[in-house]
Amino acid sequence: MTSQGLKRQVKWYVSAALVIGTLGATGLFGNLPVTYSMAGPAAALVWIVTLLFGAFAAVVLAYNFTIWPDKAGAEYAPVRIALGKIPGAIAGWGFYINWGTAGAIASLILGRYIFGTDPSTFLHRQLFAFALVTIFFVFNYFGIKIAGITQTILTILKVVPLILVGLVAIPFVNLSNFHPFWVSGVPGVQANTMEGMLMLFLSAALIATWSTYSTDIFASIVPEIEDPEKGIPRAAWFSVVVSLAFVSLITITAIGVLGSQMGTLSKPLFQYGQIVLGNAGEILLWIALVCGALTVPNVALMSASRVTYQMAVEGDMPKIFAKTNKYGVPYWGLILIYLINVIMIFYTAAYAVLVAIVQVPWIVCWFLLGVANLKIRATKEWHEKAIFKAPWWVVIGAFIVGLIGFGYCYAYGVLWGWHDIILGIVFVLLILVIMAVDSLVSRNKK
């Protein structure tokens, strides 16, 4: 089987919109205050640095997919080709568990903003999230053109208000709000020591990566991008540059305007918008939040169905997941991820477990991408095929970023507890066991 079931029918900017629309979609509103409570004003540095780290993945994936432009599935494809079936499966499922669950997570978070957190509104939030996921399931079923146009429009409606409010906020910035730069909100951590600052950075970075490490998502739909030789590098660079612009602007100006209130207010970014532009500022940020959050279930369904498609093409999943409908959509993978999101929305235990295990498989996925690119760059046959050639320092940088990710998990475990980290490790080990058993069964059959 080949990737011929997917059709080249969208421009490169649709691929870029997957990143720009979802990056910080709910994270800036929900996770920026959390990272501030961990690291103080240095939270702005955490977000900017982790986004720069995310740029390494975008660049190496652009490199990989100009070698193999007929592959889908972001990290899965290069890891599977360079390192083999078992590492490929870990990368594929790491990508899947992170992105596939994002639709339910973002929809429920948006529901909390709209309906509040009172227990009496819980069913309203669930029904609201279910409606969103169902709408985007329908959009995706009828082809990537519809889903792609929707994504592009929502992305523009998200980014323009953020940049507008951020630019207007610059004169309101109070530089004294950045002193002291490191402020520990974590018991027992001294923010005035090098070790303390490092631990605060690493633990806050794990939270920030939920948003800033979404730079990989553009590569999930590569076989559907027109003119991939030019389009793939454009999508990668455009994603990083635009995202870096609005993330830097919002994190710096919001902290500069609000100061310590960033970690204490219930909805700090809306108060920030109110300060700099009055009611218009708050309305603009509501538009950015709603449009950004709406992009997430769209991308979650789109990207997760493509990785299961590619895994089926490579023989790592049942062949049924490689089937596409007349619109070029791998519909069985789409149905599966839709059902997973619905279960998460209505079954609290499944939601809690899946959210808890996300980070470790995701970090392992990034590490494997770094290792795979060391081999890809060193293999002359592969490197010479690349239209966009990554230099050695970028490839080594991607590997180092993958290593640093384990530091995020360690610091988070030390400061906040090991429960989520242990669950994530168990998930990765479970994949290893399943793949090992599958390999043994295959060998015995042969």
Side-chain angles (χ1 to χ4, degrees), residues 36-40 183-187 200 416:
Y36 184 92
S37 68
M38 291 181 176
V183 178
S184 174
V186 185
L200 291 170
W416 299 95

Side-chain angles (χ1 to χ4, degrees), residues 16-29 31 47-48 50-55 58 99 151 155 158-159 162 208-217 236 238-248 250-251 288-289 291-293 295-296 299 366:
L18 304 188
V19 176
I20 300 166
T22 55
L23 195 148
T26 55
L28 280 171
F29 292 84
N31 289 336
W47 279 72
I48 293 168
T50 54
L51 181 49
L52 289 172
F53 285 172
W99 275 109
Q151 183 70 18
T155 297
K158 167 203 159 180
V159 173
L162 285 176
T209 57
W210 278 57
S211 293
T212 55
Y213 273 27
S214 61
T215 51
D216 65 324
I217 196 70
F238 193 75
S239 300
V240 171
V241 171
V242 174
S243 299
L244 188 59
F246 74 78
V247 166
S248 302
I250 292 297
T251 54
L289 170 63
C291 292
T295 66
V296 181
V299 173
W366 273 61

Side-chain angles (χ1 to χ4, degrees), residues 63-288:
Y63 166 60
N64 299 156
F65 285 98
T66 57
I67 303 173
W68 300 292
D70 63 331
K71 304 291 184 181
E75 283 92 341
Y76 166 73
V79 172
R80 176 67 166 81
I81 293 167
L83 302 181
K85 183 173 184 175
I86 293 178
I90 294 172
W93 286 111
F95 178 90
Y96 190 84
I97 197 67
N98 184 76
W99 275 109
T101 59
I105 295 169
S107 298
L108 287 170
I109 289 173
L110 180 59
R112 285 206 298 269
Y113 271 95
I114 293 173
F115 296 101
T117 57
D118 190 280
S120 65
T121 67
F122 185 60
L123 180 60
H124 296 83
R125 285 177 263 153
Q126 287 180 312
L127 293 173
F128 174 76
F130 172 70
L132 289 186
V133 171
T134 302
I135 289 168
F136 286 107
F137 168 77
V138 174
F139 284 0
N140 273 273
Y141 186 86
F142 288 104
I144 196 171
K145 279 191 174 182
I146 295 174
I149 291 169
T150 304
Q151 183 70 18
T152 304
I153 293 170
L154 290 173
T155 297
I156 293 169
L157 291 175
K158 167 203 159 180
V159 173
V160 171
L162 285 176
I163 291 179
L164 178 60
V165 173
L167 290 173
V168 174
I170 292 174
F172 291 83
V173 170
N174 183 351
L175 293 179
S176 65
N177 285 331
F178 292 96
H179 302 289
F181 191 59
W182 292 94
V183 178
S184 174
V186 185
V189 178
Q190 297 298 319
N192 58 349
T193 66
M194 288 300 295
E195 181 183 0
M197 288 188 289
L198 178 62
M199 292 296 282
L200 291 170
F201 174 87
L202 291 173
S203 61
L206 186 64
I207 304 299
T209 57
W210 278 57
S211 293
T212 55
Y213 273 27
S214 61
T215 51
D216 65 324
I217 196 70
F218 82 94
S220 61
I221 61 165
V222 168
E224 294 164 280
I225 302 173
E226 296 175 359
D227 193 8
E229 294 181 355
K230 295 178 180 178
I232 294 167
R234 285 176 184 170
W237 285 115
F238 193 75
S239 300
V240 171
V241 171
V242 174
S243 299
L244 188 59
F246 74 78
V247 166
S248 302
L249 195 58
I250 292 297
T251 54
I252 293 171
T253 58
I255 291 171
V257 170
L258 293 176
S260 60
Q261 293 183 85
M262 175 61 74
T264 58
L265 294 171
S266 59
K267 296 178 181 178
L269 282 194
F270 295 129
Q271 281 87 341
Y272 152 75
Q274 180 78 36
I275 290 169
V276 301
L277 265 177
N279 291 335
E282 187 173 351
I283 291 169
L284 284 170
L285 288 179
W286 267 108
I287 292 171

Side-chain angles (χ1 to χ4, degrees), residues 427-445:
F427 180 79
V428 173
L429 292 176
L430 181 63
I431 295 172
L432 278 171
V433 170
I434 292 171
M435 296 306 298
V437 170
D438 180 64
S439 296
L440 288 172
V441 170
S442 298
R443 287 178 185 178
N444 289 335
K445 285 181 178 179

